[in-house]
Amino acid sequence: MMAATSACKEGTKIAMDNGKYVRYTPEQVEALERLYHECPKPSSMRRQQLIRECPILSNIEPKQIKVWFQNRRCREKQRKEASRLQAVNRKLTAMNKLLMEENDRLQKQVSHLVYENSYFRQQTQNTTLATTDTSCDSAVTSGQHHLTPQHPPKDASPAGLLSIAEETLTEFLSKATGTAVEWVQMPGMKPGPDSIGIVAISHGCTGVAARACGLVGLDPTRVAEILKDRPSWYRDCRAVDVINMLSTANGGTIELLYMQLYAPTTLAPARDFWLLRYTSVMEDGSLVVCERSLNNTQNGPSMPPAVNFVRAELLPSGYLIRPCEGGGSIIHIVDHMDLEPWSVPEVLRPLYESSTLLAQKTTMAALRHLRQISQEISQPNVTGWGRRPAALRALSHKLSKGFNEAVNGFTDEGWSMLESDGVDDVTLLVNSSPGKMMDINFSYSNGFPSMGNAVLCAKASMLLQNVPPAILLRFLREHRSEWADSGIDAYSAAAVKAGPCSLPVPRGGSFGGQVILPLAHTIEHEEFMEVVKLENVGHYQDMIMPSDIFLLQLCTGVDENAVSTCAELIFAPIDGSFSEDAPIIPSGFRIIPLDSGMDASSPNRTLDLASTLEVGAAGNRATGDKSSRGSTKSVMTIAFQFVYEMQLQENVAIMARQYVRSIIASVQRVALALSPSFFGSHAGLGSPPGTPEAQTLARWICQSYRCYMGDELLKHEGSESILKVLWHHTDAVLCCSLKALPVFTFSNQAGLDMLETTLVSLQDISLEKIFDENGRKTLFAEFPQVMQQGFMCLQGGICLSSMGRPVSYERAVAWKVVNDEENAHCICFTFINWSFV
């Protein structure tokens, strides 16, 4: 072993039994290297075969070849570790530089604030009560406070546009690295080597603004090229058209742009911008791309307003990109907008007045996209179903864009509205334009054409109260049968394909009739793609359908611990070929929180019994700290698309309207169950947390365990309630019903973690589903003991979570829970020392 370790330093030597070293010949090294690249760890048989096939290795013993391969693997491991450490060191050095610059900027901001404070204090002291002059003229004397026109009049000539561009550059740099805007750290974002970067939001400025600084592994030119192609990374961007472009004497370029943004919901109009973009290289080699809106104050070129759009303003914003030592770029991003919130209903205005929302949807999205591109270049791996990350990213973009098009329904894309049936809760749009149908009328590799010559979209928006978007969307994802109609799924699948689906099916999580198969995720896990297999779907009317249907699904914002602006579940039926140019007709849900307090939300509010234990005399939960409850309001947008034949439009319209209304009713029912107010006045979820029923059940569980086992289930000391101690108990404790097919009715936090579910979803899980075949045999053989002698003990084994993950446990105990009248109430299980395998 010592010889093998020493030889890691010298790849052309071999260790002999006598401790001496003998050099390999170049031909021998070449032969060994060739085999190493084919198989880094060859078996003994393969090494002997190598000696037989290569005469130049005939004088080397198999043992010596084994040592060579050990040394070669050692060197490879050392090389990779050294490369990793160098990359980490470069990143830490760059992050340190960023933090030092941020510290300098903050010091300047402090000095500026101290100066302002001193100035205003002096002004206050010099002002008497008799002073009634409140005009702004008195503030003109301050070097920092003036009301002279901030943007001198310009014109549309090249010289005038250059003057506007230079002014835009100066203002952008003052925001990116100066003190023109008061920046505060974005809640929930902590800088570090593994973070996306340093993210800040504005405080007290006009409109909404966000700033980010980060390190990306791409050269500045490539970074600028990616960021200027805004539709490729900004999902809300519908299009950017370059109207005119001219070069400047300093080697820069000025572009006049017209940009359109999708509206996030059906309740608000879309936004558009008329922009000037200036790209230039600074004296220190930094690349700058800055933008601003052109309006009447500059007397520059104008763009007439567009129908169905509200003209918003982009204040000086952009990207400062500096080359980083050792490769990559340090980038500063500033986004500053006035989104004209007056144009939307008052309840939606937080969407247009939140700097946090702007940071997450635009500023951070740019950094994430750059990091994703960098990772794909450095690690060009093939992911699920043989697709490269770039191809999967294109598919996710296609899903998102198709859903945005359905939500907005622009007339220039061929959408027209159908007449209402008298109730305006659901809006129907149809599209039979050649451009739309060109994507649908696609002949698949199996020879089957699509079925339909038009698309109908049924869409609606609804306001939700006290429901965290992540939890609601996760429920919709994992429990499709609670809201979806299998017949409609069959119709949608039949409309875009008539041939059988033959996708390979790897192992995935099973959720009541559907199997979710992971496909890909972003590096920050903000979104992920998956294929959903709907099993044993019935026929729709007279259509002949395969028993299984596959959906391509995009999930965003389902992580309760992540700081996210919205949660999305977008899906579309896919053909068996899974071709990249196959038609995708997406439908789905989007839930956007409306309250600025979302950053302080508790990640496990609906799962946390401890925060619900203080109840009043009437059994209602105490109000407590509202900041721990997450968002109190959110808006959900629903859009479903159906391909159909024109002659069936009336029937399809009736079906679509009824279907979306049934989905709305299902969502309202689920939202009510997830709402904390429901827990205070309903007992429909099996003694919900915080109610007297839950307290009583906890007491029965512990009393029955003591009666049958002769020991205490909980080490209960102090003034804490039994329910609170039970909730935090480290072993999983679950109760199931006494029905012929027992289902779970209650669990503590450890049990929910073990089953990977929520209290609301718990009743969907039957007792037999969590055991493997051997566990079920043992359970059914010994279960009668529980009713006869009151308890049973199970040896250690394996059970399954609701996600299909195996869980090992040291042992399990089941006992009968009796009420105060000594009647059997339920069966309780505790799984001791469980862990995921």
Side-chain angles (χ1 to χ4, degrees):
M1 180 62 67
M2 292 179 60
T5 305
S6 300
C8 288
K9 300 177 182 178
E10 181 58 64
T12 62
K13 295 179 179 180
I14 60 173
M16 306 295 290
D17 291 339
N18 58 7
K20 296 181 179 180
Y21 295 102
V22 177
R23 290 184 180 276
Y24 288 104
T25 64
E27 292 78 10
Q28 290 173 333
V29 172
E30 182 181 355
L32 291 170
E33 286 286 349
R34 187 167 56 251
L35 178 61
Y36 177 82
H37 289 294
E38 295 175 0
C39 179
K41 195 173 183 179
S43 63
S44 175
M45 185 178 299
R46 184 68 182 92
R47 292 194 299 270
Q48 293 175 358
Q49 181 184 357
L50 176 64
I51 294 175
R52 291 193 301 268
E53 294 176 352
C54 299
I56 59 176
L57 300 177
S58 59
N59 62 330
I60 304 175
E61 297 181 2
K63 182 179 179 180
Q64 296 165 359
I65 293 182
K66 178 180 180 181
V67 171
W68 186 93
F69 275 94
Q70 290 175 345
N71 298 341
R72 183 64 176 83
R73 290 194 299 270
C74 178
R75 292 196 306 276
E76 182 71 15
K77 184 177 181 181
Q78 289 176 341
R79 184 190 64 79
K80 290 182 178 179
E81 180 65 12
S83 177
R84 186 188 69 82
L85 292 175
Q86 289 174 358
V88 171
N89 183 63
R90 288 195 301 268
K91 189 170 184 179
L92 289 173
T93 302
M95 289 297 296
N96 181 62
K97 184 177 181 180
L98 279 177
L99 290 173
M100 290 176 65
E101 292 176 352
E102 180 70 2
N103 184 58
D104 291 340
R105 189 195 65 80
L106 290 174
Q107 288 180 350
K108 292 178 183 178
Q109 185 171 335
V110 168
S111 300
H112 175 66
L113 292 174
V114 169
Y115 169 81
E116 280 195 335
N117 182 57
S118 175
Y119 169 78
F120 284 119
R121 181 176 296 177
Q122 183 179 1
Q123 289 294 100
T124 303
Q125 292 173 351
N126 295 336
T127 303
T128 64
L129 294 175
T131 302
T132 58
D133 181 15
T134 59
S135 70
C136 293
D137 295 338
S138 60
V140 175
T141 57
S142 168
Q144 303 294 332
H145 304 275
H146 55 85
L147 291 179
T148 56
Q150 194 173 5
H151 308 294
K154 305 292 188 298
D155 55 40
S157 66
L161 291 176
L162 180 59
S163 178
I164 298 174
E166 293 291 350
E167 186 180 77
T168 303
L169 173 62
T170 301
E171 292 190 40
F172 159 67
L173 292 177
S174 69
K175 297 175 184 179
T177 61
T179 59
V181 173
E182 181 182 350
W183 299 109
V184 296
Q185 182 173 308
M186 182 171 164
M189 297 296 299
K190 294 182 180 180
D194 296 325
S195 69
I196 191 174
I198 303 171
V199 184
I201 56 177
S202 62
H203 175 68
C205 73
T206 301
V208 292
R211 189 189 68 141
C213 311
L215 173 68
V216 295
L218 301 168
D219 65 85
T221 304
R222 177 62 173 148
V223 170
E225 177 186 334
I226 292 172
L227 292 177
K228 290 171 73 171
D229 185 16
R230 191 178 268 111
S232 70
W233 58 266
Y234 185 24
R235 297 289 175 84
D236 288 349
C237 183
R238 184 192 184 203
V240 175
D241 295 328
V242 179
I243 306 301
N244 195 9
M245 182 173 66
L246 57 94
S247 300
T248 63
N250 61 2
T253 58
I254 296 175
E255 299 167 280
L256 300 183
L257 310 175
Y258 177 63
M259 179 173 71
Q260 293 180 342
L261 301 185
Y262 291 109
T265 172
T266 62
L267 303 177
R271 263 55 182 164
D272 68 350
F273 298 81
W274 173 232
L275 304 173
L276 178 145
R277 180 164 69 195
Y278 181 38
T279 305
S280 63
V281 179
M282 301 181 67
E283 293 180 357
D284 63 355
S286 299
L287 187 59
V288 179
V289 180
C290 56
E291 300 172 323
R292 78 169 315 143
S293 285
L294 292 172
N295 49 43
N296 294 332
T297 60
Q298 291 101 22
N299 291 334
S302 61
M303 170 69 71
V307 180
N308 300 324
F309 285 88
V310 171
R311 182 63 51 84
E313 181 179 6
L314 180 69
L315 289 84
S317 306
Y319 317 106
L320 171 61
I321 312 164
R322 295 181 294 178
C324 182
E325 295 181 7
S329 304
I330 297 176
I331 178 172
H332 295 253
I333 301 176
V334 173
D335 292 301
H336 192 176
M337 298 182 181
D338 184 350
L339 295 171
E340 305 294 343
W342 58 266
S343 62
V344 301
E346 186 173 355
V347 69
L348 294 181
R349 288 181 186 173
L351 297 182
Y352 299 85
E353 297 173 338
S354 171
S355 293
T356 300
L357 196 70
L358 177 69
Q360 293 170 331
K361 297 193 71 175
T362 309
T363 316
M364 294 170 62
L367 275 181
R368 286 197 185 97
H369 184 75
L370 290 170
R371 293 185 65 187
Q372 189 75 28
I373 296 292
S374 177
Q375 186 187 62
E376 290 172 6
I377 293 174
S378 61
Q379 303 174 7
N381 297 325
V382 176
T383 59
W385 276 275
R387 298 301 190 273
R388 294 193 176 276
L392 293 177
R393 181 160 38 83
L395 283 172
S396 70
H397 190 82
K398 197 172 181 180
L399 277 171
S400 183
K401 184 177 178 64
F403 183 75
N404 276 325
E405 289 177 352
V407 169
N408 286 262
F410 293 117
T411 55
D412 60 1
E413 292 178 346
W415 291 101
S416 60
M417 186 179 301
L418 292 182
E419 184 177 350
S420 171
D421 64 347
V423 183
D424 295 330
D425 56 339
V426 178
T427 301
L428 296 187
L429 302 175
V430 294
N431 193 336
S432 58
S433 63
K436 184 74 173 177
M437 301 317 300
M438 187 179 299
D439 292 334
I440 298 174
N441 292 327
F442 179 93
S443 294
Y444 294 94
S445 58
N446 56 20
F448 290 93
S450 63
M451 300 166 56
N453 52 22
V455 177
L456 183 143
C457 175
K459 59 182 182 178
S461 293
M462 56 190 293
L463 188 67
L464 301 174
Q465 297 276 359
N466 299 327
V467 184
I471 294 179
L472 176 56
L473 204 84
R474 192 174 71 183
F475 184 91
L476 296 175
R477 170 181 173 263
E478 297 177 0
H479 302 275
R480 186 180 180 89
S481 60
E482 292 291 326
W483 56 267
D485 186 311
S486 61
I488 302 297
D489 286 333
Y491 170 83
S492 299
V496 297
K497 69 178 181 63
C501 192
S502 58
L503 282 174
V505 184
R507 180 179 177 85
S510 178
F511 300 94
Q514 66 175 355
V515 178
I516 296 181
L517 314 168
L519 200 59
H521 56 74
T522 58
I523 52 179
E524 278 83 27
H525 297 267
E526 291 295 323
E527 71 174 36
F528 55 91
M529 286 185 64
E530 55 197 12
V531 172
V532 180
K533 177 187 176 186
L534 305 180
E535 298 177 320
N536 300 319
V537 176
H539 296 181
Y540 180 77
Q541 295 181 356
D542 297 329
M543 294 182 181
I544 300 176
M545 282 296 301
S547 59
D548 296 337
I549 292 176
F550 287 81
L551 305 176
L552 182 63
Q553 186 160 276
L554 174 68
C555 303
T556 305
V558 295
D559 183 2
E560 300 154 54
N561 298 301
V563 180
S564 182
T565 57
C566 69
E568 291 182 330
L569 184 69
I570 304 173
F571 48 86
I574 55 175
D575 176 66
S577 63
F578 197 18
S579 172
E580 295 176 17
D581 55 355
I584 291 182
I585 310 297
S587 304
F589 306 89
R590 173 181 292 151
I591 313 172
I592 310 175
L594 295 173
D595 295 302
S596 59
M598 64 182 176
D599 301 318
S601 62
S602 171
N604 293 309
R605 184 184 57 76
T606 60
L607 306 184
D608 187 4
L609 283 174
S611 65
T612 68
L613 298 175
E614 301 300 328
V615 295
N620 291 328
R621 195 172 62 170
T623 56
D625 182 6
K626 291 183 179 181
S627 67
S628 66
R629 299 184 181 184
S631 171
T632 58
K633 290 181 182 178
S634 57
V635 59
M636 170 181 269
T637 298
I638 304 171
F640 278 72
Q641 297 190 80
F642 307 91
V643 179
Y644 68 99
E645 295 285 351
M646 286 295 294
Q647 64 269 21
L648 300 176
Q649 178 172 298
E650 184 176 351
N651 293 336
V652 174
I654 294 173
M655 176 270 292
R657 187 176 274 121
Q658 292 176 346
Y659 185 45
V660 171
R661 284 173 178 164
S662 71
I663 292 175
I664 292 174
S666 299
V667 169
Q668 289 173 334
R669 185 181 69 253
V670 172
L672 178 63
L674 292 172
S675 173
S677 61
F678 177 82
F679 288 130
S681 57
H682 295 75
L685 293 178
S687 300
T691 63
E693 291 87 350
Q695 298 276 9
T696 301
L697 177 60
R699 179 169 56 85
W700 290 346
I701 290 172
C702 296
Q703 287 180 349
S704 300
Y705 186 89
R706 186 188 312 115
C707 175
Y708 292 114
M709 306 301 297
D711 195 6
E712 294 292 340
L713 175 65
L714 307 173
K715 305 302 180 184
H716 183 212
E717 298 178 356
S719 58
E720 288 186 319
S721 67
I722 295 178
L723 179 55
K724 186 172 184 178
V725 177
L726 178 64
W727 174 254
H728 291 292
H729 190 47
T730 56
D731 294 328
V733 178
L734 303 104
C735 293
C736 64
S737 61
L738 293 174
K739 299 178 181 178
L741 183 63
V743 296
F744 290 108
T745 57
F746 176 83
S747 173
N748 66 348
Q749 179 64 69
L752 296 176
D753 292 341
M754 185 184 79
L755 295 182
E756 296 186 292
T757 187
T758 66
L759 285 171
V760 175
S761 308
L762 191 64
Q763 286 188 330
D764 295 332
I765 304 174
S766 63
L767 178 61
E768 66 172 8
K769 282 186 178 181
I770 73 168
F771 289 99
D772 58 15
E773 185 175 353
N774 292 332
R776 281 194 293 270
K777 290 179 180 179
T778 303
L779 178 68
F780 293 147
E782 300 187 13
F783 195 76
Q785 295 182 25
V786 181
M787 303 307 297
Q788 295 173 4
Q789 65 182 27
F791 72 95
M792 73 171 181
C793 296
L794 297 175
Q795 295 180 350
I798 299 292
C799 62
L800 301 174
S801 74
S802 63
M803 301 284 288
R805 284 210 289 173
V807 181
S808 66
Y809 56 91
E810 186 178 297
R811 62 189 179 92
V813 178
W815 68 97
K816 181 168 58 176
V817 177
V818 297
N819 57 22
D820 293 332
E821 287 76 30
E822 297 188 356
N823 295 322
H825 178 75
C826 63
I827 301 296
C828 193
F829 286 81
T830 180
F831 294 85
I832 301 168
N833 294 335
W834 65 272
S835 63
F836 290 109
V837 177

